Amino acid sequence: MNFGYIWRNLPPVTKNLLIINLLVWLAINLLGHGTVNSAIIRYGALHYFTSSDFLPSQLFTYMFMHESFWHLFFNMFALFMFGGIIERTLGSAKFLFYYVSCGVGAALIQLGVYAVIINHYESIIGYDLLQMIEHEGADILRGMQNFRNPDAAYINQLVNIPTLGASGAVYGILLAFGFLFPRQPIYLMFIPVPIQARWMVIGYGVIELLQAMNNNPADNVAHLAHLGGMIFGLLMLLYWKYNNRRA
């Protein structure tokens, strides 16, 4: 595979998304783990609505930030493999709108589910403790501590541990590939025979749903955001398909 030729022929939005994500990751890591680095994570990564660290802009900025090289690599590899195909199919402007919408939608769905969970736990831990979590929990976590009450510690993780990464938008791209090219054969390293794109997408969706239902914040993966990106992507593609038929 001639990656140089493929790179030169990538459409502009896909290419620039790859570059921006790489530059942001380099900037975060070159700054080390000092106060500037911490500020980037604090103000750019996605926090829950009621966290003292939440900013509306985080619904957008979080999708350009990655925790580790491998987190960046797998997201950008999927974008590299599938983004150009989807961009050529939809057109650059529509593709950019789709990508960003899947990322924002992923964030909203994750935070919406968190809201349901937190509302349920409020009756368990009490309103006053919940207020303390929302106003002081971020500082407690930055001090490498958490609440002794396991329910309060769990809610503090939901409210004040940030989400970052392009996974929600990337899962939207995978959904689009399976939707637009359902019978296209895909070769996966851990499966010896090709599978159709639609089955790959369904398989990923089922895995993420099961992982989200497992409800284990310790695995450090935003499964709800992955599902959110796929859900928003599917809704947009169905809307566009329906309106194209009417046109």
Side-chain angles (χ1 to χ4, degrees), residues 218-230:
D219 70 2
N220 203 30
V221 178
H223 301 290
L224 290 169
H226 298 174
L227 285 171
M230 298 180 83

Side-chain angles (χ1 to χ4, degrees), residues 155-166:
I155 294 303
N156 195 25
Q157 289 178 301
L158 295 187
V159 172
N160 290 305
I161 291 182
T163 297
L164 62 166

Side-chain angles (χ1 to χ4, degrees), residues 1-246:
M1 181 182 293
N2 189 334
F3 284 98
Y5 174 81
I6 296 173
W7 175 258
R8 288 192 299 272
N9 287 276
L10 276 178
V13 173
T14 300
K15 182 180 292 186
N16 281 289
L17 286 172
L18 290 166
I19 293 171
I20 291 169
N21 277 277
L22 177 59
L23 290 177
V24 172
W25 183 81
L26 287 172
I28 291 173
N29 284 271
L30 288 174
L31 289 169
H33 300 284
T35 56
V36 176
N37 177 285
S38 299
I40 293 173
I41 299 297
R42 180 175 180 178
Y43 296 114
L46 177 67
H47 295 77
Y48 184 66
F49 294 122
T50 58
S51 170
S52 58
D53 286 344
F54 173 74
L55 294 170
S57 58
Q58 293 170 357
L59 294 167
F60 175 77
T61 57
Y62 90 101
M63 71 181 82
F64 297 98
M65 308 175 69
H66 291 84
E67 184 176 14
S68 67
F69 171 78
W70 292 111
H71 187 202
L72 173 76
F73 174 80
F74 286 115
N75 276 340
M76 294 304 99
F77 181 74
L79 177 59
F80 178 79
M81 294 299 295
F82 299 103
I85 299 170
I86 305 304
E87 182 176 348
R88 292 188 185 97
T89 304
L90 297 180
S92 293
K94 202 170 188 178
F95 173 74
L96 179 59
F97 176 82
Y98 178 85
Y99 182 91
V100 172
S101 296
C102 285
V104 173
L108 291 173
I109 286 182
Q110 175 169 296
L111 296 184
V113 174
Y114 280 8
V116 173
I117 296 172
I118 292 167
N119 182 67
H120 168 72
Y121 271 84
E122 182 179 349
S123 61
I124 299 173
I125 65 175
Y127 176 79
D128 291 338
L129 183 51
L130 179 59
Q131 288 292 299
M132 182 183 295
I133 290 170
E134 292 173 347
H135 293 97
E136 302 176 22
D139 289 330
I140 292 172
L141 289 174
R142 278 191 284 271
M144 305 300 293
Q145 299 183 54
N146 205 343
F147 293 91
R148 292 183 179 180
N149 181 320
D151 293 325
Y154 171 60
I155 294 303
N156 195 25
Q157 289 178 301
L158 295 187
V159 172
N160 290 305
I161 291 182
T163 297
L164 62 166
S167 300
V170 167
Y171 268 74
I173 289 177
L174 294 178
L175 184 283
F177 188 83
F179 185 91
L180 297 170
F181 309 102
R183 299 184 185 277
Q184 178 69 32
I186 299 293
Y187 295 85
L188 301 174
M189 290 184 295
F190 49 86
I191 298 179
V193 295
I195 62 173
Q196 293 183 355
R198 56 182 173 177
W199 299 121
M200 178 195 72
V201 170
I202 291 172
Y204 272 117
V206 170
I207 291 171
E208 291 303 317
L209 178 60
L210 293 175
Q211 291 289 337
M213 291 173 63
N214 188 42
N215 196 26
N216 178 20
D219 70 2
N220 203 30
V221 178
H223 301 290
L224 290 169
H226 298 174
L227 285 171
M230 298 180 83
I231 291 169
F232 260 71
L234 179 61
L235 291 175
M236 279 187 287
L237 291 167
L238 288 173
Y239 175 80
W240 288 336
K241 183 177 181 179
Y242 174 75
N243 279 272
N244 285 340
R245 285 178 177 175
R246 293 183 61 188

